[in-house]
Structures are given as C-alpha cells and as structure tokens.
C-alpha cells in the first residue's frame, strides 16, 4: 500500500464533549520526512480526555486523539533514512530533531522543530493526512494513535526492540515515562531521601517507581481515593494518606510527619491548589517540588515568595525530561530487563471498538491504564 491511500478504522472526535465515533477514514501516504505506522495497541490517557472535554486551548475538531501507542512502520516518505517498513516503533508527542537549539541543549527535551504545526493539529507542511466523510480531520499531539494507521513526522518516532510486547510498551509513549523521568531526571531524587507524591493515578505511580529506583528511603503517597493506596504500596510507597482525614492543611501534616518537610514532592494531578501544597510541603533550604500534572487553560499558581526565598525550588517537567528518540528505546530495554514496571500499570484490555468504555473506566478512577488492541 506504499504511496496509496489506506482506508481503515479510527475513533474520530467530531466535537468537544461528545463520545468518540468509530469511522472509516482515509489515511494519505507519508510525504517527505514522514512515516506511516500501523498502530497495534494504544492506551487512553487523561490528556486525551482533557482535549476531548473542550478545555484544551489548542484543541481543534474533528480530530483523531491518542498519544500512547505502538506499532509497525508501514511505509516511509522521501528523505527518511533512520526508519524503514517493518520497524517496530513508538510514536512520540515530543519529537527529537537533534538540530534545534533545544535538542542541542542537554538541559531540556523540548524540541521545537515542529511545535507550531503540531499545536495546530497539522503535519509539518501545514496539512492533514486524515480524511473522513469528505472532511479533513486534525492530528493530535503529532501522533493520533486512535487510528489503525497514522502518519507522523520522522523525528517523532522511536525505533524499539521488535521483541517488546506492544500492548505493554505503548504506555512508554507518555504516562510511565513522564512520571519515572520526573523523579530520576527532573528532581534527580537522591538515595536516602524523603518524597511525597500527590495523586496516585498512572503518572503518580510511575513517580513512586522512579523514587524507589533512585533509592528514596521514604515515599508518601497522597490521594483522596483510598482505593488507590494498596497499588501505590505495591509500587514502592512506604505509606499513604488522604487530605480528607485531617483538619489542617496537607502541607502542615507532611511537615509534621517528616520533621520539617520532604526533600522532593511531585504534583501529578493538574490542580493548582495542590501544586501550592506540594511546594509548601518541601523542606526549607533544599526542598524541590516538581509540577507534573497539566492544569486547565488560564489557571495560575501562587505561593508566598518567602517559600522560595527560604530555599525551596519549584520545577516543571514534560515527558519526564527524556530526549525522546534516544531515550524511549532505552526505557523499553529497562522494561525488558525488569528494571522498571510496565505490566503492572495495565488494569484491562478492550477491543478498539470499546474505546468510549475505556474513557469511562478512566473517569471512574477504577483503572490505571486500559489497553486497546487494534
């Protein structure tokens, strides 16, 4: 099918706030420096729901969502040299061109080569490769994995070990990598340190895993849903607490529990009030607090400047600080050698046609990640 339009199934979001619709779409062949991928497994993430809700300022409709996927390269466009048909890959929502000043700076992973067009739901040349019922359909985060076939920029693809189970490693396309990297790359958690993780969903569990791998001696999980505590402890949390069990603020509770505050705190919810709590729970003089959760458009964070003057550091992270093209294959290898958990994040498998059910499971708080088999 190289150089030909492929007809396949995709879950189209026609408008904000409405369920996804399984449609037959046309996927155009890849142009120069593009890759067409047959997606074999994908997962549903809160970021997909955030855009579908209409709260995302960059959200545009109709669109094919999805950014935690894995598959096989079907064909490549002109000028693609590092990938070929048959390669096993994970599409990346943060590319790595290797040439822009961001890629050349070891302090960041935020490649900007295609940021403008990606934010508009378009390929780098300003057009779409998706058509449905005669209408052009937007891309999402440069990946659009809720389709049996997708087209992505060649700098947005990680070539991985072909023996890796795609219905597991697809999760390394976002949530697990983000949380794990927040601990080991952004915070640089040190052996023997004390950590607090706010929000015990998939990303929060990955942060706990990262803190554990880094050698933290005490990891406190915080969530209002106590049903999540058992799983958090499986991932390495030493104890878990709910803010609703205390009459004082959660930061005051943590300061008392830890003799002055934690060495590292992580906000994995996207709630600006919790971001403040996480910062203020960090220890005076050296505490570091990392914002991992994505807040809604227009939200602002606040604290008293004295919190920073007295030695706390407020940081943010995107995709856990990983330089994507080079790092994701290494993360797959770490999973294959059992250094990091991935299987334990999967709470269920559904067919692609049941995608709206996967969203319902996520919103219910009863699932970490549901995998859709294409």
């Amino acid at each position: 099918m190289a150089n030909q339009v492929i007809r396949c199934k995709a879950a189209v979001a026609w408008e904000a706030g409405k369920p996804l619709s399984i449609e037959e779409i046309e996927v155009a062949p890849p142009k120069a420096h593009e890759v067409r991928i047959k997606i074999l497994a994908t997962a549903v993430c809160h970021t997909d729901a955030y855009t579908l809700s209409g709260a995302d300022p960059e959200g545009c409709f109709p669109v094919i969502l999805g950014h935690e996927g894995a598959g096989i390269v079907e064909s490549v466009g002109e000028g693609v040299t590092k990938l070929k048909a048959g390669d096993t890959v994970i599409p990346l929502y943060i590319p790595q061109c290797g040439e822009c000043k961001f890629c050349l700076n070891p302090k960041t992973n935020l490649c900007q080569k295609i940021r403008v067009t990606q934010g508009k739901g378009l390929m780098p040349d300003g057009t779409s490769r998706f058509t449905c019922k005669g209408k052009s359909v937007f891309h999402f985060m440069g990946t659009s994995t809720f389709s049996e076939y997708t087209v992505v920029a060649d700098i947005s693809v990680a070539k991985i070990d072909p023996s890796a189970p795609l219905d597991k490693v697809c999760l390394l396309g976002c949530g697990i990598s983000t949380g794990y990297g927040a601990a080991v790359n952004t915070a640089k958690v040190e052996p023997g340190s004390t950590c607090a993780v706010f929000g015990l969903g998939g990303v929060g569990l990955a942060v706990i895993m990262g803190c554990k791998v880094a050698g933290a001696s005490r990891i406190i999980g915080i969530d209002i849903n106590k049903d999540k505590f058992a799983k958090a402890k499986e991932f390495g949390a030493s104890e878990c607490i709910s803010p609703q069990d205390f009459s004082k603020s959660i930061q005051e509770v943590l300061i008392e529990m830890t003799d002055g505050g934690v060495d590292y705190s992580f906000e994995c919810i996207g709630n600006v009030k919790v971001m403040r709590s996480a910062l203020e729970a960090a220890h005076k003089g050296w505490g570091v607090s990392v914002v991992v959760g994505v807040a809604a458009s227009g939200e602002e964070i606040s604290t008293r400047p004295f919190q920073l003057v007295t030695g706390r550091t407020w940081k943010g992270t995107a995709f856990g600080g990983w330089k994507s093209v080079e790092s994701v294959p290494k993360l797959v290898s770490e999973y294959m050698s059992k250094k990091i958990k991935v299987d334990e994040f999967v709470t269920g498998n559904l067919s692609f046609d049941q995608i709206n059910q996967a969203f319902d499971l996520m919103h219910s708080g009863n699932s970490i990640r549901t995998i859709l088999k294409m």
Side-chain angles (χ1 to χ4, degrees):
M1 293 299 292
N3 302 316
Q4 295 181 47
V5 171
I6 289 179
R7 293 177 182 274
C8 68
K9 283 196 303 184
V12 178
W14 287 106
E15 56 184 299
K18 298 288 175 66
L20 303 182
S21 176
I22 302 292
E23 307 278 5
E24 182 180 81
I25 66 162
E26 292 85 47
V27 183
K31 294 187 181 180
H33 294 288
E34 296 176 1
V35 178
R36 188 161 60 182
I37 300 168
K38 178 178 175 61
I39 297 292
L40 296 177
T42 186
V44 174
C45 170
H46 280 281
T47 311
D48 302 307
Y50 169 64
T51 298
L52 184 59
S53 74
D56 182 353
E58 286 193 339
C60 38
F61 297 87
V63 64
I64 295 171
L65 300 170
H67 63 288
E68 283 188 346
I72 307 292
V73 173
E74 177 272 335
S75 61
V76 301
E78 184 186 342
V80 177
T81 56
K82 295 179 180 175
L83 298 155
K84 63 183 186 305
D87 284 346
T88 305
V89 295
I90 291 177
L92 306 165
Y93 71 90
I94 292 183
Q96 186 185 357
C97 72
E99 298 169 352
C100 71
K101 67 179 181 180
F102 290 81
C103 282
L104 295 174
N105 191 321
K107 295 178 180 177
T108 185
N109 63 331
L110 296 175
C111 174
Q112 297 296 293
K113 183 76 174 281
I114 58 173
R115 178 71 193 93
V116 173
T117 49
Q118 182 172 312
K120 293 176 180 174
L122 300 169
M123 294 301 290
D125 71 345
T127 63
S128 171
R129 301 291 164 269
F130 299 131
T131 311
C132 184
K133 298 178 179 174
K135 286 190 69 173
S136 180
V137 178
F138 288 107
H139 294 252
F140 176 67
M141 292 176 74
T143 53
S144 291
T145 60
F146 293 169
S147 174
E148 291 178 325
Y149 287 85
T150 190
V151 179
V152 305
D154 62 352
I155 58 172
S156 301
V157 184
K159 181 180 173 181
I160 63 164
D161 181 344
S163 67
L166 300 190
D167 59 345
K168 303 293 194 301
V169 297
C170 62
L171 297 182
L172 294 170
C174 180
I176 297 177
S177 304
T178 297
Y180 179 55
V184 300
N185 294 332
T186 309
K188 294 182 169 59
V189 170
E190 295 167 318
S193 56
T194 300
C195 303
V197 180
F198 291 75
L200 301 177
V203 173
L205 294 175
V207 170
I208 290 172
M209 177 173 72
C211 293
K212 185 81 173 170
V213 168
S217 61
R218 189 178 183 190
I219 305 167
I220 304 166
I222 301 132
D223 203 296
I224 57 174
N225 183 352
K226 293 183 180 180
D227 293 342
K228 296 182 176 181
F229 289 0
K231 181 64 86 170
K233 287 177 180 174
E234 282 178 36
F235 275 83
S238 356
E239 63 219 279
C240 296
I241 56 175
S242 167
Q244 295 177 334
D245 287 346
F246 304 94
S247 56
K248 56 182 73 171
S249 73
I250 191 66
Q251 52 266 52
E252 289 177 279
V253 172
L254 286 163
I255 286 166
E256 286 180 9
M257 286 175 65
T258 58
D259 187 27
V262 297
D263 301 308
Y264 302 97
S265 66
F266 302 85
E267 197 280 351
C268 306
I269 303 161
N271 181 312
V272 292
K273 291 180 179 172
V274 180
M275 291 173 192
R276 178 172 188 161
S277 297
L279 174 78
E280 295 179 0
H283 203 290
K284 182 188 292 187
W286 63 78
V288 173
S289 187
V290 181
V291 174
V292 191
V294 178
S297 172
E299 296 270 26
E300 295 183 349
I301 51 174
S302 64
T303 189
R304 291 180 300 115
F306 192 69
Q307 293 286 333
L308 301 175
V309 170
T310 50
R312 294 170 191 81
T313 303
W314 221 345
K315 305 181 82 168
T317 190
F319 196 54
W322 300 108
K323 289 199 183 264
S324 58
V325 173
E326 66 188 52
S327 298
V328 168
K330 294 174 185 173
L331 290 168
V332 170
S333 297
E334 287 192 6
Y335 158 66
M336 299 290 276
S337 63
K338 296 187 165 53
K339 183 184 175 184
I340 60 172
K341 299 178 191 287
V342 172
D343 298 14
E344 292 83 353
F345 288 86
V346 179
T347 43
N349 292 275
L350 293 173
S351 68
F352 185 46
D353 293 342
Q354 297 171 292
I355 189 166
N356 288 307
Q357 195 177 325
F359 274 86
D360 292 340
L361 283 167
M362 181 178 65
H363 289 307
S364 73
N366 294 327
S367 74
I368 304 171
R369 281 294 189 273
T370 300
I371 304 295
L372 302 167
K373 306 271 185 81
M374 310 299 272

